Amino acid sequence: MKIILIRHLKTDMEWREYYTAAEYDDAMQIYRQMHMPLVVGQQVVGGEYAFYCSTAPCTYDTIMRLFNVRDVTKTPLLDEVLLRSFTDDVKPRTLAEWQRKAKRQWRSGDARQPETKVQTEARAEELLKMLERANKDCVLVSHAFYLRTVIKRLKAHGYVVERPGFFSIGFGERMRATKRSEHCGGCRYNCVLTNPACEVGRDKAIMRRIKMISENAGRARF
């Protein structure tokens, strides 16, 4: 089974630099309901894929803009992690501070946040169980913060997740997850350069490096 993970495309949301607690919560609600102009996509993926997206309009709109499909399953198992203001203080704070401290509460299991890290991980586990029961190649369109948890759970279950890089997941970024035993191996040793987040390629490169060091050390003794 091949799983294609995609972060939704960029919306037209205009974020401000500073928010009060109430303004931040309102902005998050608006963001979750953002639509994008409907442009029917023409891309076609090989084989028969099942398409899944979150209940947020922007993820369904992303599928419509990228692929020429109509059969899409919307599921809360792909919804973004719900974050709310970390305090009721009326003092204006930067958007970055609201998000950073809300995520800190999420990690620590603070009851102020609608969902904790443990609950998010359980939701990702349920998503994976659903996909494995279906056992069909699929495309998942979700959100950056939640996708990080999904990727971690996939790796914990023996999947190889291929990404263009190590850092933040960009709008529209595509990733591929396959069981290690089913990994194509096409990246070979160049995987570290062309696809740095592919564990199989990185493992091969590391083992090759160890072998080279060992061989060089052996020759140095004679």
Side-chain angles (χ1 to χ4, degrees), residues 10 60 200:
K10 192 176 187 334
Y60 178 80
V200 172

Side-chain angles (χ1 to χ4, degrees), residues 9-109:
L9 298 174
K10 192 176 187 334
T11 68
D12 293 331
M13 180 74 176
E14 294 183 3
W15 294 97
R16 301 204 319 259
E17 185 177 359
Y18 287 90
Y19 291 91
T20 64
E23 290 171 343
Y24 173 77
D25 290 337
D26 288 344
M28 293 299 288
Q29 290 299 324
I30 293 171
Y31 183 63
R32 293 184 188 112
Q33 299 303 318
M34 289 290 291
H35 279 275
M36 289 182 287
L38 181 59
V39 179
V40 178
Q42 296 298 322
Q43 297 184 34
V44 178
V45 291
E48 293 294 326
Y49 279 75
F51 286 81
Y52 300 88
C53 68
S54 76
T55 60
C58 63
T59 58
Y60 178 80
D61 294 347
T62 293
I63 290 180
M64 292 298 99
R65 292 182 69 168
L66 293 180
F67 303 100
N68 189 12
V69 296
R70 287 294 178 272
D71 188 8
V72 180
T73 301
K74 298 180 181 179
T75 172
L77 294 177
L78 282 169
D79 281 357
E80 179 60 296
V81 178
L82 294 176
L83 295 175
R84 62 166 300 198
S85 56
F86 65 89
T87 179
D88 290 326
D89 191 349
V90 296
K91 174 185 175 181
R93 301 172 189 268
T94 65
L95 174 62
E97 182 178 359
W98 286 115
Q99 294 178 327
R100 182 178 67 255
K101 293 186 177 180
K103 289 176 182 179
R104 185 182 301 166
Q105 289 182 334
W106 168 80
R107 293 187 188 93
S108 66

Side-chain angles (χ1 to χ4, degrees), residues 83-208:
L83 295 175
R84 62 166 300 198
S85 56
F86 65 89
T87 179
D88 290 326
D89 191 349
V90 296
K91 174 185 175 181
R93 301 172 189 268
T94 65
L95 174 62
E97 182 178 359
W98 286 115
Q99 294 178 327
R100 182 178 67 255
K101 293 186 177 180
K103 289 176 182 179
R104 185 182 301 166
Q105 289 182 334
W106 168 80
R107 293 187 188 93
S108 66
D110 194 301
R112 183 176 177 85
Q113 295 303 319
E115 186 175 50
T116 66
K117 181 180 179 181
V118 172
Q119 292 170 327
T120 302
E121 290 174 340
R123 183 157 60 93
E125 285 283 346
E126 187 61 32
L127 170 68
L128 183 53
K129 288 179 183 177
M130 180 188 75
L131 298 177
E132 291 189 330
R133 283 195 299 266
N135 193 29
K136 186 176 181 180
D137 291 347
C138 56
V139 174
L140 313 180
V141 180
S142 187
H143 311 264
F145 191 43
Y146 180 59
L147 281 174
R148 294 177 187 174
T149 298
V150 173
I151 289 170
K152 288 179 180 177
R153 301 321 306 158
L154 285 168
K155 290 181 178 180
H157 284 272
Y159 284 81
V160 175
V161 180
E162 301 174 72
R163 282 195 58 204
F166 290 111
F167 304 108
S168 60
I169 301 173
F171 290 107
E173 180 177 331
R174 302 187 190 192
M175 298 150 279
R176 182 176 69 170
T178 53
K179 281 287 190 179
R180 180 174 286 265
S181 59
E182 300 172 356
H183 185 64
C184 68
C187 49
R188 301 177 186 258
Y189 299 123
N190 291 331
C191 191
V192 174
L193 298 178
T194 60
N195 191 9
C198 174
E199 296 95 334
V200 172
R202 187 162 63 245
D203 289 349
K204 286 182 178 179
I206 291 171
M207 292 307 297
R208 185 185 187 199

